[in-house]
């Protein structure tokens, strides 16, 4: 018997709906829902251990996976099984995690797992936009201590009109692609890319998404009430001691305030803070520290945070001595690495990124194979964050989720400025060499300069900046170019990238409730001033893209050829193209246009002479002589019945010059008239209807000898010695031939 189910439907306002259902699947999980829109279905389950973990943080794991069966496809690879998550899945995990994590109590440390699975795919529905809704709805049906329901929505804009959760087709026409995460009261997370929009337009897009999210949050509340809201579980809270907290605050606050006001460097500041902490711990006995050592560290951190925040709010000063809108010193350099196709260093304060650019053919495109999306990227960016960049020693265990997320943000910031007609596949690699505040924005800046250094004709240069916000009551301060220490002590941190004309990408995490849109717009405008300052530093280093690629970098030429010539260029078993690449030291890639079915030939090489040889070969293959025209040819082979000649304007295009077309006089030996290597003119007559082969003639352009008499044409009706097939019929058979049956007798 199918169990009773509970369902809520959300109207998106344009005929589309999202349904949330529970009660049928995964009932042993602490909460489970199926979220559906069209044929797209997500199953989300949540489980949290009842025993607190022995850690001082929330061990939350958000896992999002797309099943290939959901799209009626097989996974790639040998084992035909889903393996590690793709970058797209990791990015969705990050989007959900960033909204959920702040809503759990700070003292809740039970291991918690949120699993979201794409079970059925719809080409018109982007599943990642519903992942946050699914996660929150499942939590609302559980007994977890969780502050309030949230949801996420994607917002696009087509012809000036905002749209919620656009399809892939609609997104292709949109100038905004943003995912907003929020509760009914507050916006908490924003991430996306835009086509040079203004700060006010970005705020309007966030408002529009928030209104839709309010409806989705209300639906979760109704579903939980219908299902039967569970009592919130009891858990062992963290130990607290208000007297100890006040004592630590009084001991630490003034000392921390003084160090913070000193404007020292990261390492000096960290050492001074560590010394203050040790002095405070020294006032306690070893026995006391064994009992309350954890509380001492916790309360010291709170006192340190309070002192630093107050310094900024009261005096407008920051940890390194800057004012709130001041940018750290910047220096840049291009063409640093001699063998790369493009390189640049961007250093801002204690953050440094070295970017390299590599140019290639479509063969080097990044292939994306997900159940919800198949395609390729001709421009992509990889971001590496080694431990030495923060002065740490720790093992490297593959690409982290952070590296995937930061690299994706920088990629989205830059990709819109790469021209559509760029013939190359472009890969940027950012190596973060130092980090103290927004290495992803340093990646955007170094990536911009590296692209220009490589000769990629960027439409406009792009810069990026990380911003922060500290607020207390009616007082607030917007911080430009935040430090790593300021990242976690503020109420909002956001990264904004753009050109001189508008925003191209953003990533925002808002930790304070009810942030007004007025403050948000002010922060975005302050970010614009910072971006323009940084942009000026970039353009002072390299004002425009180099006119051409570097001498050692490959040049790319693209040619379009009719479909019927693709096979000739490839040759049997690839022989022609392989030999051509070897001879010319080039890379040749042939793709077929899916619409016109024409061949798109990419020629990549460092030697222009080699590229020219390939182009000549292509022109030769496509050479089509016109009937009645005269062409210069060269003898390349001697035969008994003629000479094989090739057109000098199209080497490789050969045709037989028959012995009868050499001269007006009868020719017994071909060598009596022409020899190997001879160059002369012939007239082209097209395809001979009798031989069905192309016909050229040398004698046709020579004057007839005086008194020359043409031989009469052959009588094709005679047959061969009166015994041809045309003159035979059953009546001509010999009378003495016996039937086959008689012979057997």
């Amino acid at each position: 018997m199918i169990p009773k189910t509970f369902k809520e439907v959300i109207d998106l306002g344009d005929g589309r709906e999202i349904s949330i259902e529970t009660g049928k699947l995964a009932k042993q999980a602490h909460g489970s829902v199926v979220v559906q829109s069209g044929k797209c279905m997500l199953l989300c389950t949540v489980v949290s251990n009842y025993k607190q973990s022995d850690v001082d943080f929330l061990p939350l794991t958000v896992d999002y996976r797309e099943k290939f069966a959901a799209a009626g496809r097989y996974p790639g690879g040998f084992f035909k099984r889903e393996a590690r998550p793709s970058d797209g899945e990791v990015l969705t995990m990050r989007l959900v995690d960033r909204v959920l994590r702040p809503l759990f109590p700070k003292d809740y440390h039970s291991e918690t797992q949120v699993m979201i699975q794409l079970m059925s795919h719809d080409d018109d529905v982007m599943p990642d936009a519903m992942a946050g809704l699914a996660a929150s709805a499942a939590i609302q049906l559980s007994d977890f201590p969780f502050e309030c329901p949230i949801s996420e929505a994607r917002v696009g804009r087509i012809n000036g009109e905002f749209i919620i959760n656009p399809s892939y087709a609609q997104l292709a026409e949109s100038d905004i692609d943003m995912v907003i995460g929020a509760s009914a009261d507050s916006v908490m997370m924003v991430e996306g890319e835009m086509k040079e929009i203004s700060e006010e337009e970005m705020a309007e897009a966030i408002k529009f998404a928030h209104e839709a999210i309010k409806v989705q949050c209300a639906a979760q509340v109704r579903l939980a009430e219908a299902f039967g809201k569970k009592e919130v579980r009891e858990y062992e809270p963290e130990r607290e001691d208000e007297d100890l907290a006040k004592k630590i605050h009084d001991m630490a606050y003034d000392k921390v305030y003084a160090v913070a006001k000193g404007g020292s460097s990261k390492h000096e500041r960290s050492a001074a803070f560590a010394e203050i902490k040790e002095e405070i711990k020294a006032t306690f006995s070893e026995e006391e520290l064994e009992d309350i050592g954890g509380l001492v560290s916790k309360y010291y951190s709170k006192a340190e945070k309070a002192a630093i925040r107050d310094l900024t709010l009261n005096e407008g000063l920051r940890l390194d001595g800057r004012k709130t809108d001041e940018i750290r010193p910047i220096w840049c350099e291009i063409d640093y690495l001699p063998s790369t196709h493009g390189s640049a260093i961007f250093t801002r304060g204690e953050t440094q990124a070295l970017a390299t650019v590599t140019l290639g053919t479509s063969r080097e495109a990044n292939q994306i194979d997900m159940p919800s999306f198949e395609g390729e990227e001709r421009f992509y960016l990889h971001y590496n964050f080694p431990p030495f960049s923060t002065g740490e020693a720790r093992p490297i265990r593959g690409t982290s989720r952070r590296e995937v997320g930061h690299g994706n943000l920088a990629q989205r910031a830059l990709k819109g400025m790469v021209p559509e007609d760029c013939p190359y596949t472009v890969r940027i690699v950012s190596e973060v060499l130092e980090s103290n505040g927004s290495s992803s924005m340093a990646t955007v800046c170094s990536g911009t300069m590296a692209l220009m250094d490589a000769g990629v004709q960027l439409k406009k240069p792009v810069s990026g900046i990380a911003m922060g916000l500290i607020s207390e009551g009616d007082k607030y301060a917007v911080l430009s170019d935040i430090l790593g220490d300021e990242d976690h002590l503020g109420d909002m941190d956001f990264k904004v990238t753009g050109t001189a004309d508008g925003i191209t990408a953003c990533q925002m995490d808002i930790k304070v409730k009810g942030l007004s849109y007025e403050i948000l717009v002010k922060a975005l405008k302050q970010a614009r001033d910072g971006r323009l300052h940084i942009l000026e530093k970039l353009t002072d280093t390299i004002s425009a893209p180099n006119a051409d690629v570097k001498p050692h970098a490959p040049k790319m030429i693209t040619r379009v050829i009719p479909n019927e010539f693709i096979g000739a260029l490839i040759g049997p078993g690839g022989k022609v193209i392989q030999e051509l690449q070897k001879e010319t030291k080039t890379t040749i890639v042939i793709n077929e246009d899916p619409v016109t079915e024409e061949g798109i030939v990419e020629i990549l090489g460092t030697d222009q002479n080699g590229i020219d040889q390939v182009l000549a070969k292509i022109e030769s293959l496509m050479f089509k002589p016109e009937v009645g025209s005269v062409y210069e040819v060269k003898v390349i082979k001697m035969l008994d019945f003629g000479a094989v000649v090739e057109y000098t304007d199209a080497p490789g295009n050969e045709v037989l010059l028959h012995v009868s077309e050499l001269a007006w006089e009868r020719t017994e030996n071909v060598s009596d008239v022409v020899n190997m290597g001879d160059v002369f003119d012939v007239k082209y007559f097209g395809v001979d209807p009798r031989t069905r082969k192309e016909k050229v003639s040398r004698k046709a352009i020579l004057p007839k000898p005086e008194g020359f008499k043409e031989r009469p044409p052959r009588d094709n009706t005679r047959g061969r010695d009166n015994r041809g097939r045309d003159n035979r019929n059953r009546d001509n058979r010999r009378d003495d031939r016996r039937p086959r049956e008689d012979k057997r007798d």
Side-chain angles (χ1 to χ4, degrees), residues 13-285:
D14 56 0
R16 293 176 299 144
E17 295 179 340
I18 300 177
S19 67
I20 318 172
E21 183 182 272
T22 189
K24 185 180 291 185
L25 303 182
K27 293 193 292 180
Q28 291 194 47
H30 295 163
S32 69
V33 295
V34 172
V35 174
Q36 181 170 358
S37 180
K39 293 185 291 185
C40 177
M41 298 175 69
L42 292 175
L43 169 65
C44 179
T45 57
V46 294
V47 175
S48 185
N49 292 342
Y50 284 94
K51 183 179 179 181
Q52 289 272 68
S53 299
D54 189 21
V55 293
D56 61 352
F57 60 91
L58 172 64
L60 170 66
T61 302
V62 176
D63 198 75
Y64 171 81
R65 298 298 178 95
E66 296 186 353
K67 306 298 184 179
F68 277 84
R73 295 177 50 212
Y74 285 89
F78 181 79
F79 293 105
K80 296 293 180 288
R81 185 185 182 116
E82 287 85 357
R84 68 177 185 85
S86 66
D87 284 359
E89 290 167 318
V90 168
L91 293 170
T92 302
M93 297 175 198
R94 283 173 53 84
L95 286 176
V96 177
D97 186 295
R98 283 161 51 198
V99 186
L100 295 183
R101 190 175 293 272
L103 297 179
F104 285 92
K106 294 187 183 301
D107 59 352
Y108 185 68
H109 300 156
S110 295
E111 185 166 355
T112 304
Q113 187 174 45
V114 177
M115 294 190 65
I116 311 163
Q117 304 178 67
L118 175 67
M119 308 302 289
S120 177
H121 174 58
D122 187 331
D123 289 334
D124 294 327
V125 179
M126 299 184 71
D128 60 341
M130 302 190 299
L133 169 63
S136 177
I139 292 174
Q140 295 307 303
L141 301 175
S142 73
D143 61 351
F144 300 174
F146 193 75
E147 187 172 324
C148 60
I150 61 94
S151 190
E152 294 179 349
R154 173 176 273 108
V155 60
R157 187 175 66 173
I158 302 173
N159 299 324
E161 296 291 328
F162 291 118
I163 182 172
I164 288 293
N165 292 357
S167 66
Y168 286 107
Q170 290 173 321
L171 202 59
E173 302 175 22
S174 174
D175 63 349
I176 294 176
D177 176 11
M178 292 170 56
V179 176
I180 290 87
S183 66
D185 299 326
S186 303
V187 174
M188 305 167 66
M189 185 277 300
V190 178
E191 180 157 339
E193 62 184 272
M194 311 87 181
K195 295 181 180 177
E196 297 182 280
I197 68 172
S198 68
E199 289 74 15
E200 290 81 4
E201 289 174 309
M202 180 173 165
E204 287 300 317
I206 295 172
K207 284 182 183 179
F208 181 79
H210 193 194
E211 292 303 314
I213 288 172
K214 291 177 182 178
V215 176
Q216 297 178 16
C217 291
Q220 296 176 54
V221 173
R222 293 195 302 270
L223 180 68
E225 290 174 349
F227 179 74
K229 182 68 176 175
K230 298 177 182 177
E231 291 292 328
V232 176
R233 69 172 62 175
E234 294 184 0
Y235 64 94
E236 185 179 349
E238 287 184 348
R239 182 180 174 186
E240 297 290 348
D241 188 331
E242 293 184 7
D243 293 336
L244 180 63
K246 185 178 184 306
K247 179 181 178 180
I248 299 297
H249 181 275
D250 293 342
M251 295 173 67
Y253 184 88
D254 290 339
K255 294 179 180 180
V256 170
Y257 197 98
V259 171
K261 192 174 180 178
S264 54
S265 68
K266 176 182 177 181
H267 292 296
E268 292 173 346
R269 188 168 61 246
S270 297
F273 288 155
E275 186 176 343
I276 295 171
K277 184 176 179 180
E278 289 302 316
E279 289 176 359
I280 293 173
K281 291 174 71 174
T283 63
F284 297 92
S285 66

Side-chain angles (χ1 to χ4, degrees), residues 187-188 305 309 313 467-473 475-477 479 486-494 508-513 515:
V187 174
M188 305 167 66
K305 180 177 180 179
R309 285 170 60 92
L313 289 172
M467 305 289 293
L469 173 73
I470 295 176
S471 64
E472 198 70 51
K475 297 170 65 176
Y476 70 90
L479 311 182
E486 294 171 329
D487 194 353
H488 70 271
L489 62 83
D491 299 316
M492 175 175 72
D493 60 83
F494 64 101
M508 187 179 301
D509 290 293
I510 303 170
K511 307 163 193 174
V512 62
K513 295 181 182 179
L515 179 69

Side-chain angles (χ1 to χ4, degrees), residues 559-573:
R559 284 289 182 269
V560 177
I561 64 174
N563 181 276
E564 62 264 27
F565 295 110
I566 296 177
L569 180 57
I570 295 174

Side-chain angles (χ1 to χ4, degrees), residues 307-324:
I308 297 171
R309 285 170 60 92
D310 288 348
L311 172 68
T312 302
L313 289 172
N314 297 336
E315 302 188 41
L317 293 177
R318 300 161 65 180
L319 285 169
D320 56 358
R322 285 182 293 148
K323 296 178 181 179
T324 56

Side-chain angles (χ1 to χ4, degrees), residues 416-443:
M417 292 300 111
V418 177
E420 291 77 9
D421 59 354
C422 177
Y424 296 100
T425 291
V426 181
R427 181 190 185 221
I428 299 177
V429 178
S430 173
E431 304 290 347
V432 178
L433 307 181
E434 292 182 58
S435 180
N436 183 16
S438 193
S439 53
S440 62
M441 296 297 94
T443 293

